[in-house]
Amino acid sequence: MSKYILYIVTLLLISSVVLAEDGSRLWLRAETQSVAKVSSNRKSPTIEIAMQELTTQWKGAPIMLMLNKTRKNNPWGSEGYSIKGNVDEGVTISASADIGLLYGAYHLLRLQEAELIENQIDITEKPAYDIRVLNHWDNLDGTVERGYAGHSLWKWDELPDILSPRYKAYARANASIGINGTVLNNVNASPEILTNTYLKKVKILADVFRPYGVRVYLSVNFSSPKIIGGLSDSDPMNPEVKQWWKNKVKAIYRQIPDFGGFLVKANSEGQPGPQDYGCTHADGA
């Protein structure tokens, strides 16, 4: 009987460990019993996230987040940051934009978790590329073209009324490694993504992603003016087509002011494009 009880207890302990780590936190697994002291000279949703991440995961001395938008000739650009100080005495993360402070927070936590942090810190980082985008091949029906890991993360049938907590987790994961954009849908795009029904859903996702510095992009079908706009064609030289796209873009930016832009697969693998009308890709653009 004692061996049987020991076997059951062992299984329960193993199960609890497995359930505790499902991989969803990726590298953001730091845990501390104490609450780190973090302060900031400004407030914003993005800075609040940076403070929360550091408060719950940082194991060192107090941290100050300094947002300095007016400093001339700053070395950070719009997304860079500096981390300076002493782990035992205090550390300051400085940036010219909110997102720079968040990236700096994640940088410091990465060093801590990789056990690469030194007592004296003097780091200045600036992204080498302005646009760092993930390209999803997700379809509006929930399938993923050439997808081998299940269905789409986006629950289009539930949006905009129901928000999965996975959307915020997705934005957090991206921000933690410096991804600042996402193309939500497959390049073999359904024109429906540009209808008002779907743009309302896209807006909600953009609202979730924004504090993490992640902008939304959309793959669009070149024939959208004809298919959902009711025009006679989608000829890029047609004034009505030009106006349709201008109106659609304005409608998008009214709802999503930081919209990233369009991805267009044109005249490739049977997809429509400007060559259908004797035009070049430059004409189409």
mmCIF file of all heavy atoms in Angstrom, residues 74-120:
data_model
loop_
_atom_site.group_PDB
_atom_site.id
_atom_site.type_symbol
_atom_site.label_atom_id
_atom_site.label_comp_id
_atom_site.label_asym_id
_atom_site.label_seq_id
_atom_site.Cartn_x
_atom_site.Cartn_y
_atom_site.Cartn_z
ATOM 1 N N ASN A 74 19.354 62.753 -29.578
ATOM 2 C CA ASN A 74 19.351 61.547 -28.743
ATOM 3 C C ASN A 74 19.852 60.348 -29.556
ATOM 4 O O ASN A 74 19.657 60.290 -30.779
ATOM 5 C CB ASN A 74 17.950 61.294 -28.176
ATOM 6 C CG ASN A 74 17.020 60.678 -29.183
ATOM 7 O OD1 ASN A 74 17.139 59.508 -29.517
ATOM 8 N ND2 ASN A 74 16.072 61.466 -29.672
ATOM 9 N N PRO A 75 20.475 59.391 -28.877
ATOM 10 C CA PRO A 75 21.062 58.246 -29.576
ATOM 11 C C PRO A 75 20.093 57.108 -29.817
ATOM 12 O O PRO A 75 20.474 56.068 -30.341
ATOM 13 C CB PRO A 75 22.167 57.805 -28.603
ATOM 14 C CG PRO A 75 21.582 58.117 -27.256
ATOM 15 C CD PRO A 75 20.774 59.385 -27.446
ATOM 16 N N TRP A 76 18.821 57.301 -29.449
ATOM 17 C CA TRP A 76 17.884 56.189 -29.441
ATOM 18 C C TRP A 76 16.974 56.103 -30.663
ATOM 19 O O TRP A 76 16.437 55.038 -30.959
ATOM 20 C CB TRP A 76 16.999 56.271 -28.197
ATOM 21 C CG TRP A 76 17.745 56.533 -26.935
ATOM 22 C CD1 TRP A 76 18.788 55.798 -26.433
ATOM 23 C CD2 TRP A 76 17.515 57.599 -26.010
ATOM 24 N NE1 TRP A 76 19.220 56.339 -25.247
ATOM 25 C CE2 TRP A 76 18.460 57.449 -24.956
ATOM 26 C CE3 TRP A 76 16.615 58.653 -25.959
ATOM 27 C CZ2 TRP A 76 18.517 58.314 -23.874
ATOM 28 C CZ3 TRP A 76 16.676 59.515 -24.881
ATOM 29 C CH2 TRP A 76 17.615 59.350 -23.856
ATOM 30 N N GLY A 77 16.735 57.207 -31.357
ATOM 31 C CA GLY A 77 15.712 57.191 -32.398
ATOM 32 C C GLY A 77 14.339 57.063 -31.757
ATOM 33 O O GLY A 77 14.141 57.410 -30.591
ATOM 34 N N SER A 78 13.388 56.535 -32.488
ATOM 35 C CA SER A 78 12.014 56.447 -31.980
ATOM 36 C C SER A 78 11.749 55.186 -31.166
ATOM 37 O O SER A 78 10.739 55.109 -30.455
ATOM 38 C CB SER A 78 11.021 56.499 -33.150
ATOM 39 O OG SER A 78 11.251 55.413 -34.041
ATOM 40 N N GLU A 79 12.644 54.191 -31.257
ATOM 41 C CA GLU A 79 12.389 52.940 -30.547
ATOM 42 C C GLU A 79 13.579 52.451 -29.716
ATOM 43 O O GLU A 79 13.489 51.402 -29.086
ATOM 44 C CB GLU A 79 12.001 51.841 -31.544
ATOM 45 C CG GLU A 79 10.702 52.087 -32.271
ATOM 46 C CD GLU A 79 10.393 50.976 -33.254
ATOM 47 O OE1 GLU A 79 11.157 50.817 -34.233
ATOM 48 O OE2 GLU A 79 9.399 50.251 -33.056
ATOM 49 N N GLY A 80 14.669 53.175 -29.726
ATOM 50 C CA GLY A 80 15.857 52.758 -28.995
ATOM 51 C C GLY A 80 15.795 53.125 -27.525
ATOM 52 O O GLY A 80 14.834 53.728 -27.045
ATOM 53 N N TYR A 81 16.866 52.789 -26.797
ATOM 54 C CA TYR A 81 16.882 53.013 -25.362
ATOM 55 C C TYR A 81 18.307 52.880 -24.822
ATOM 56 O O TYR A 81 19.210 52.350 -25.491
ATOM 57 C CB TYR A 81 16.004 51.973 -24.649
ATOM 58 C CG TYR A 81 16.316 50.553 -25.057
ATOM 59 C CD1 TYR A 81 17.328 49.817 -24.426
ATOM 60 C CD2 TYR A 81 15.624 49.945 -26.102
ATOM 61 C CE1 TYR A 81 17.636 48.534 -24.816
ATOM 62 C CE2 TYR A 81 15.924 48.660 -26.510
ATOM 63 C CZ TYR A 81 16.924 47.953 -25.860
ATOM 64 O OH TYR A 81 17.238 46.674 -26.263
ATOM 65 N N SER A 82 18.486 53.386 -23.615
ATOM 66 C CA SER A 82 19.739 53.216 -22.880
ATOM 67 C C SER A 82 19.420 52.598 -21.531
ATOM 68 O O SER A 82 18.392 52.922 -20.921
ATOM 69 C CB SER A 82 20.454 54.552 -22.680
ATOM 70 O OG SER A 82 20.913 55.078 -23.910
ATOM 71 N N ILE A 83 20.302 51.716 -21.074
ATOM 72 C CA ILE A 83 20.184 51.115 -19.743
ATOM 73 C C ILE A 83 21.500 51.376 -19.026
ATOM 74 O O ILE A 83 22.554 50.902 -19.462
ATOM 75 C CB ILE A 83 19.922 49.596 -19.817
ATOM 76 C CG1 ILE A 83 18.738 49.287 -20.745
ATOM 77 C CG2 ILE A 83 19.654 49.035 -18.422
ATOM 78 C CD1 ILE A 83 18.522 47.812 -20.984
ATOM 79 N N LYS A 84 21.434 52.130 -17.964
ATOM 80 C CA LYS A 84 22.664 52.494 -17.248
ATOM 81 C C LYS A 84 22.451 52.370 -15.741
ATOM 82 O O LYS A 84 21.354 52.603 -15.243
ATOM 83 C CB LYS A 84 23.083 53.923 -17.591
ATOM 84 C CG LYS A 84 23.385 54.151 -19.072
ATOM 85 C CD LYS A 84 23.822 55.578 -19.344
ATOM 86 C CE LYS A 84 24.044 55.827 -20.837
ATOM 87 N NZ LYS A 84 25.181 55.040 -21.363
ATOM 88 N N GLY A 85 23.525 51.982 -15.052
ATOM 89 C CA GLY A 85 23.455 51.926 -13.604
ATOM 90 C C GLY A 85 24.158 50.728 -13.018
ATOM 91 O O GLY A 85 24.945 50.052 -13.692
ATOM 92 N N ASN A 86 23.823 50.462 -11.766
ATOM 93 C CA ASN A 86 24.434 49.381 -11.009
ATOM 94 C C ASN A 86 23.335 48.465 -10.479
ATOM 95 O O ASN A 86 22.374 48.934 -9.866
ATOM 96 C CB ASN A 86 25.248 49.960 -9.846
ATOM 97 C CG ASN A 86 26.046 48.913 -9.112
ATOM 98 O OD1 ASN A 86 25.480 48.061 -8.435
ATOM 99 N ND2 ASN A 86 27.364 48.978 -9.238
ATOM 100 N N VAL A 87 23.480 47.181 -10.719
ATOM 101 C CA VAL A 87 22.443 46.218 -10.340
ATOM 102 C C VAL A 87 22.157 46.252 -8.843
ATOM 103 O O VAL A 87 21.025 46.011 -8.411
ATOM 104 C CB VAL A 87 22.855 44.793 -10.779
ATOM 105 C CG1 VAL A 87 21.891 43.758 -10.217
ATOM 106 C CG2 VAL A 87 22.902 44.702 -12.287
ATOM 107 N N ASP A 88 23.168 46.534 -8.055
ATOM 108 C CA ASP A 88 22.999 46.532 -6.603
ATOM 109 C C ASP A 88 22.525 47.873 -6.052
ATOM 110 O O ASP A 88 22.044 47.948 -4.917
ATOM 111 C CB ASP A 88 24.317 46.151 -5.918
ATOM 112 C CG ASP A 88 24.751 44.729 -6.261
ATOM 113 O OD1 ASP A 88 23.853 43.868 -6.391
ATOM 114 O OD2 ASP A 88 25.962 44.501 -6.407
ATOM 115 N N GLU A 89 22.657 48.936 -6.839
ATOM 116 C CA GLU A 89 22.336 50.277 -6.344
ATOM 117 C C GLU A 89 21.140 50.922 -7.050
ATOM 118 O O GLU A 89 20.341 51.619 -6.428
ATOM 119 C CB GLU A 89 23.568 51.176 -6.480
ATOM 120 C CG GLU A 89 24.757 50.689 -5.669
ATOM 121 C CD GLU A 89 26.007 51.517 -5.906
ATOM 122 O OE1 GLU A 89 25.906 52.535 -6.633
ATOM 123 O OE2 GLU A 89 27.076 51.156 -5.380
ATOM 124 N N GLY A 90 21.026 50.731 -8.337
ATOM 125 C CA GLY A 90 19.919 51.324 -9.090
ATOM 126 C C GLY A 90 20.215 51.384 -10.576
ATOM 127 O O GLY A 90 21.371 51.539 -10.973
ATOM 128 N N VAL A 91 19.157 51.234 -11.379
ATOM 129 C CA VAL A 91 19.294 51.217 -12.839
ATOM 130 C C VAL A 91 18.293 52.190 -13.446
ATOM 131 O O VAL A 91 17.148 52.294 -12.984
ATOM 132 C CB VAL A 91 19.046 49.801 -13.414
ATOM 133 C CG1 VAL A 91 19.115 49.818 -14.935
ATOM 134 C CG2 VAL A 91 20.051 48.810 -12.845
ATOM 135 N N THR A 92 18.734 52.912 -14.489
ATOM 136 C CA THR A 92 17.845 53.831 -15.208
ATOM 137 C C THR A 92 17.728 53.396 -16.659
ATOM 138 O O THR A 92 18.730 53.148 -17.333
ATOM 139 C CB THR A 92 18.381 55.273 -15.166
ATOM 140 O OG1 THR A 92 18.445 55.706 -13.808
ATOM 141 C CG2 THR A 92 17.463 56.204 -15.953
ATOM 142 N N ILE A 93 16.487 53.270 -17.127
ATOM 143 C CA ILE A 93 16.213 52.994 -18.541
ATOM 144 C C ILE A 93 15.684 54.284 -19.150
ATOM 145 O O ILE A 93 14.693 54.839 -18.672
ATOM 146 C CB ILE A 93 15.187 51.866 -18.713
ATOM 147 C CG1 ILE A 93 15.684 50.578 -18.044
ATOM 148 C CG2 ILE A 93 14.914 51.621 -20.200
ATOM 149 C CD1 ILE A 93 14.683 49.439 -18.085
ATOM 150 N N SER A 94 16.357 54.773 -20.191
ATOM 151 C CA SER A 94 15.977 56.041 -20.819
ATOM 152 C C SER A 94 15.597 55.819 -22.276
ATOM 153 O O SER A 94 16.154 54.949 -22.955
ATOM 154 C CB SER A 94 17.134 57.038 -20.755
ATOM 155 O OG SER A 94 17.550 57.248 -19.421
ATOM 156 N N ALA A 95 14.656 56.622 -22.783
ATOM 157 C CA ALA A 95 14.233 56.538 -24.179
ATOM 158 C C ALA A 95 13.510 57.816 -24.557
ATOM 159 O O ALA A 95 13.106 58.601 -23.690
ATOM 160 C CB ALA A 95 13.325 55.330 -24.402
ATOM 161 N N SER A 96 13.339 58.034 -25.861
ATOM 162 C CA SER A 96 12.620 59.212 -26.331
ATOM 163 C C SER A 96 11.162 58.904 -26.649
ATOM 164 O O SER A 96 10.399 59.788 -27.004
ATOM 165 C CB SER A 96 13.302 59.791 -27.570
ATOM 166 O OG SER A 96 13.306 58.847 -28.626
ATOM 167 N N ALA A 97 10.771 57.618 -26.542
ATOM 168 C CA ALA A 97 9.392 57.221 -26.798
ATOM 169 C C ALA A 97 9.009 56.098 -25.838
ATOM 170 O O ALA A 97 9.870 55.344 -25.362
ATOM 171 C CB ALA A 97 9.219 56.758 -28.246
ATOM 172 N N ASP A 98 7.714 55.982 -25.570
ATOM 173 C CA ASP A 98 7.217 54.983 -24.624
ATOM 174 C C ASP A 98 7.690 53.578 -24.980
ATOM 175 O O ASP A 98 8.104 52.811 -24.114
ATOM 176 C CB ASP A 98 5.682 54.990 -24.607
ATOM 177 C CG ASP A 98 5.108 56.340 -24.238
ATOM 178 O OD1 ASP A 98 5.861 57.322 -24.193
ATOM 179 O OD2 ASP A 98 3.893 56.415 -24.002
ATOM 180 N N ILE A 99 7.617 53.234 -26.269
ATOM 181 C CA ILE A 99 7.954 51.880 -26.684
ATOM 182 C C ILE A 99 9.423 51.575 -26.431
ATOM 183 O O ILE A 99 9.794 50.431 -26.161
ATOM 184 C CB ILE A 99 7.585 51.645 -28.178
ATOM 185 C CG1 ILE A 99 7.704 50.158 -28.535
ATOM 186 C CG2 ILE A 99 8.439 52.505 -29.087
ATOM 187 C CD1 ILE A 99 6.795 49.247 -27.744
ATOM 188 N N GLY A 100 10.275 52.591 -26.486
ATOM 189 C CA GLY A 100 11.685 52.392 -26.184
ATOM 190 C C GLY A 100 11.883 51.934 -24.747
ATOM 191 O O GLY A 100 12.739 51.088 -24.464
ATOM 192 N N LEU A 101 11.089 52.485 -23.831
ATOM 193 C CA LEU A 101 11.178 52.068 -22.431
ATOM 194 C C LEU A 101 10.739 50.619 -22.269
ATOM 195 O O LEU A 101 11.335 49.860 -21.484
ATOM 196 C CB LEU A 101 10.313 52.978 -21.556
ATOM 197 C CG LEU A 101 10.763 54.439 -21.470
ATOM 198 C CD1 LEU A 101 9.795 55.237 -20.601
ATOM 199 C CD2 LEU A 101 12.182 54.543 -20.916
ATOM 200 N N LEU A 102 9.709 50.208 -23.004
ATOM 201 C CA LEU A 102 9.259 48.817 -22.922
ATOM 202 C C LEU A 102 10.313 47.868 -23.483
ATOM 203 O O LEU A 102 10.619 46.832 -22.882
ATOM 204 C CB LEU A 102 7.934 48.642 -23.669
ATOM 205 C CG LEU A 102 7.320 47.234 -23.616
ATOM 206 C CD1 LEU A 102 7.064 46.800 -22.174
ATOM 207 C CD2 LEU A 102 6.020 47.188 -24.418
ATOM 208 N N TYR A 103 10.893 48.232 -24.628
ATOM 209 C CA TYR A 103 11.955 47.401 -25.195
ATOM 210 C C TYR A 103 13.152 47.326 -24.249
ATOM 211 O O TYR A 103 13.782 46.269 -24.106
ATOM 212 C CB TYR A 103 12.415 47.968 -26.545
ATOM 213 C CG TYR A 103 11.431 47.787 -27.673
ATOM 214 C CD1 TYR A 103 11.452 48.640 -28.786
ATOM 215 C CD2 TYR A 103 10.480 46.780 -27.663
ATOM 216 C CE1 TYR A 103 10.571 48.480 -29.843
ATOM 217 C CE2 TYR A 103 9.583 46.618 -28.701
ATOM 218 C CZ TYR A 103 9.625 47.468 -29.794
ATOM 219 O OH TYR A 103 8.745 47.312 -30.837
ATOM 220 N N GLY A 104 13.462 48.439 -23.597
ATOM 221 C CA GLY A 104 14.566 48.444 -22.644
ATOM 222 C C GLY A 104 14.294 47.542 -21.456
ATOM 223 O O GLY A 104 15.185 46.841 -20.966
ATOM 224 N N ALA A 105 13.044 47.542 -20.996
ATOM 225 C CA ALA A 105 12.657 46.673 -19.875
ATOM 226 C C ALA A 105 12.847 45.213 -20.243
ATOM 227 O O ALA A 105 13.397 44.417 -19.460
ATOM 228 C CB ALA A 105 11.205 46.947 -19.486
ATOM 229 N N TYR A 106 12.394 44.851 -21.442
ATOM 230 C CA TYR A 106 12.539 43.459 -21.880
ATOM 231 C C TYR A 106 14.017 43.088 -22.065
ATOM 232 O O TYR A 106 14.415 41.958 -21.766
ATOM 233 C CB TYR A 106 11.774 43.228 -23.175
ATOM 234 C CG TYR A 106 10.279 43.137 -22.995
ATOM 235 C CD1 TYR A 106 9.405 43.867 -23.797
ATOM 236 C CD2 TYR A 106 9.723 42.311 -22.019
ATOM 237 C CE1 TYR A 106 8.031 43.773 -23.639
ATOM 238 C CE2 TYR A 106 8.349 42.219 -21.850
ATOM 239 C CZ TYR A 106 7.508 42.953 -22.656
ATOM 240 O OH TYR A 106 6.153 42.855 -22.490
ATOM 241 N N HIS A 107 14.825 44.020 -22.537
ATOM 242 C CA HIS A 107 16.255 43.761 -22.709
ATOM 243 C C HIS A 107 16.894 43.428 -21.361
ATOM 244 O O HIS A 107 17.647 42.453 -21.227
ATOM 245 C CB HIS A 107 16.941 44.973 -23.337
ATOM 246 C CG HIS A 107 18.366 44.735 -23.720
ATOM 247 N ND1 HIS A 107 18.924 45.249 -24.869
ATOM 248 C CD2 HIS A 107 19.374 44.042 -23.117
ATOM 249 C CE1 HIS A 107 20.197 44.880 -24.953
ATOM 250 N NE2 HIS A 107 20.483 44.154 -23.890
ATOM 251 N N LEU A 108 16.579 44.223 -20.364
ATOM 252 C CA LEU A 108 17.147 44.012 -19.037
ATOM 253 C C LEU A 108 16.706 42.660 -18.470
ATOM 254 O O LEU A 108 17.511 41.919 -17.892
ATOM 255 C CB LEU A 108 16.718 45.146 -18.104
ATOM 256 C CG LEU A 108 17.383 45.182 -16.726
ATOM 257 C CD1 LEU A 108 18.903 45.339 -16.850
ATOM 258 C CD2 LEU A 108 16.803 46.317 -15.894
ATOM 259 N N LEU A 109 15.449 42.322 -18.646
ATOM 260 C CA LEU A 109 14.943 41.041 -18.144
ATOM 261 C C LEU A 109 15.561 39.863 -18.897
ATOM 262 O O LEU A 109 15.818 38.805 -18.301
ATOM 263 C CB LEU A 109 13.418 41.002 -18.252
ATOM 264 C CG LEU A 109 12.668 41.953 -17.313
ATOM 265 C CD1 LEU A 109 11.175 41.948 -17.628
ATOM 266 C CD2 LEU A 109 12.915 41.568 -15.850
ATOM 267 N N ARG A 110 15.805 40.033 -20.197
ATOM 268 C CA ARG A 110 16.469 38.969 -20.967
ATOM 269 C C ARG A 110 17.865 38.692 -20.425
ATOM 270 O O ARG A 110 18.267 37.537 -20.273
ATOM 271 C CB ARG A 110 16.577 39.355 -22.451
ATOM 272 C CG ARG A 110 15.351 39.077 -23.269
ATOM 273 C CD ARG A 110 15.681 39.053 -24.763
ATOM 274 N NE ARG A 110 16.350 40.238 -25.233
ATOM 275 C CZ ARG A 110 15.745 41.353 -25.599
ATOM 276 N NH1 ARG A 110 14.434 41.434 -25.531
ATOM 277 N NH2 ARG A 110 16.433 42.391 -26.033
ATOM 278 N N LEU A 111 18.614 39.757 -20.145
ATOM 279 C CA LEU A 111 19.953 39.588 -19.597
ATOM 280 C C LEU A 111 19.897 38.860 -18.254
ATOM 281 O O LEU A 111 20.722 37.994 -17.958
ATOM 282 C CB LEU A 111 20.625 40.952 -19.427
ATOM 283 C CG LEU A 111 20.964 41.719 -20.701
ATOM 284 C CD1 LEU A 111 21.564 43.082 -20.345
ATOM 285 C CD2 LEU A 111 21.939 40.937 -21.576
ATOM 286 N N GLN A 112 18.912 39.227 -17.453
ATOM 287 C CA GLN A 112 18.756 38.587 -16.152
ATOM 288 C C GLN A 112 18.469 37.103 -16.304
ATOM 289 O O GLN A 112 19.094 36.265 -15.643
ATOM 290 C CB GLN A 112 17.615 39.263 -15.381
ATOM 291 C CG GLN A 112 17.227 38.558 -14.092
ATOM 292 C CD GLN A 112 16.053 39.230 -13.421
ATOM 293 O OE1 GLN A 112 16.222 40.095 -12.574
ATOM 294 N NE2 GLN A 112 14.838 38.834 -13.800
ATOM 295 N N GLU A 113 17.524 36.746 -17.175
ATOM 296 C CA GLU A 113 17.122 35.353 -17.325
ATOM 297 C C GLU A 113 18.195 34.503 -17.992
ATOM 298 O O GLU A 113 18.288 33.306 -17.739
ATOM 299 C CB GLU A 113 15.809 35.269 -18.107
ATOM 300 C CG GLU A 113 14.633 35.829 -17.343
ATOM 301 C CD GLU A 113 14.575 35.284 -15.933
ATOM 302 O OE1 GLU A 113 14.286 34.081 -15.767
ATOM 303 O OE2 GLU A 113 14.830 36.048 -14.979
ATOM 304 N N ALA A 114 19.013 35.117 -18.842
ATOM 305 C CA ALA A 114 20.093 34.390 -19.502
ATOM 306 C C ALA A 114 21.361 34.360 -18.652
ATOM 307 O O ALA A 114 22.371 33.785 -19.057
ATOM 308 C CB ALA A 114 20.404 35.024 -20.857
ATOM 309 N N GLU A 115 21.274 34.981 -17.469
ATOM 310 C CA GLU A 115 22.410 35.062 -16.551
ATOM 311 C C GLU A 115 23.625 35.705 -17.221
ATOM 312 O O GLU A 115 24.766 35.281 -17.039
ATOM 313 C CB GLU A 115 22.766 33.677 -16.004
ATOM 314 C CG GLU A 115 21.635 33.051 -15.199
ATOM 315 C CD GLU A 115 21.998 31.715 -14.605
ATOM 316 O OE1 GLU A 115 23.087 31.189 -14.947
ATOM 317 O OE2 GLU A 115 21.211 31.186 -13.803
ATOM 318 N N LEU A 116 23.345 36.746 -17.998
ATOM 319 C CA LEU A 116 24.404 37.477 -18.691
ATOM 320 C C LEU A 116 24.592 38.885 -18.134
ATOM 321 O O LEU A 116 25.396 39.655 -18.648
ATOM 322 C CB LEU A 116 24.073 37.575 -20.193
ATOM 323 C CG LEU A 116 24.035 36.258 -20.962
ATOM 324 C CD1 LEU A 116 23.550 36.504 -22.399
ATOM 325 C CD2 LEU A 116 25.403 35.588 -20.976
ATOM 326 N N ILE A 117 23.832 39.202 -17.104
ATOM 327 C CA ILE A 117 23.856 40.560 -16.594
ATOM 328 C C ILE A 117 25.104 40.798 -15.747
ATOM 329 O O ILE A 117 25.537 39.930 -14.990
ATOM 330 C CB ILE A 117 22.575 40.838 -15.768
ATOM 331 C CG1 ILE A 117 22.330 42.328 -15.665
ATOM 332 C CG2 ILE A 117 22.623 40.178 -14.411
ATOM 333 C CD1 ILE A 117 20.917 42.664 -15.261
ATOM 334 N N GLU A 118 25.692 41.947 -15.926
ATOM 335 C CA GLU A 118 26.866 42.334 -15.138
ATOM 336 C C GLU A 118 26.456 43.383 -14.112
ATOM 337 O O GLU A 118 25.436 44.054 -14.256
ATOM 338 C CB GLU A 118 27.951 42.884 -16.057
ATOM 339 C CG GLU A 118 28.462 41.861 -17.069
ATOM 340 C CD GLU A 118 29.540 42.426 -17.972
ATOM 341 O OE1 GLU A 118 29.863 43.625 -17.841
ATOM 342 O OE2 GLU A 118 30.060 41.664 -18.808
ATOM 343 N N ASN A 119 27.269 43.526 -13.077
ATOM 344 C CA ASN A 119 26.915 44.438 -11.995
ATOM 345 C C ASN A 119 26.787 45.875 -12.491
ATOM 346 O O ASN A 119 25.844 46.586 -12.167
ATOM 347 C CB ASN A 119 27.954 44.363 -10.879
ATOM 348 C CG ASN A 119 27.489 45.089 -9.638
ATOM 349 O OD1 ASN A 119 26.398 44.822 -9.133
ATOM 350 N ND2 ASN A 119 28.294 46.013 -9.136
ATOM 351 N N GLN A 120 27.727 46.298 -13.335
ATOM 352 C CA GLN A 120 27.678 47.642 -13.905
ATOM 353 C C GLN A 120 27.113 47.549 -15.321
ATOM 354 O O GLN A 120 27.620 46.784 -16.141
ATOM 355 C CB GLN A 120 29.076 48.263 -13.940
ATOM 356 C CG GLN A 120 29.097 49.761 -14.152
ATOM 357 C CD GLN A 120 28.526 50.533 -12.962
ATOM 358 O OE1 GLN A 120 28.608 50.080 -11.819
ATOM 359 N NE2 GLN A 120 27.935 51.686 -13.224
#
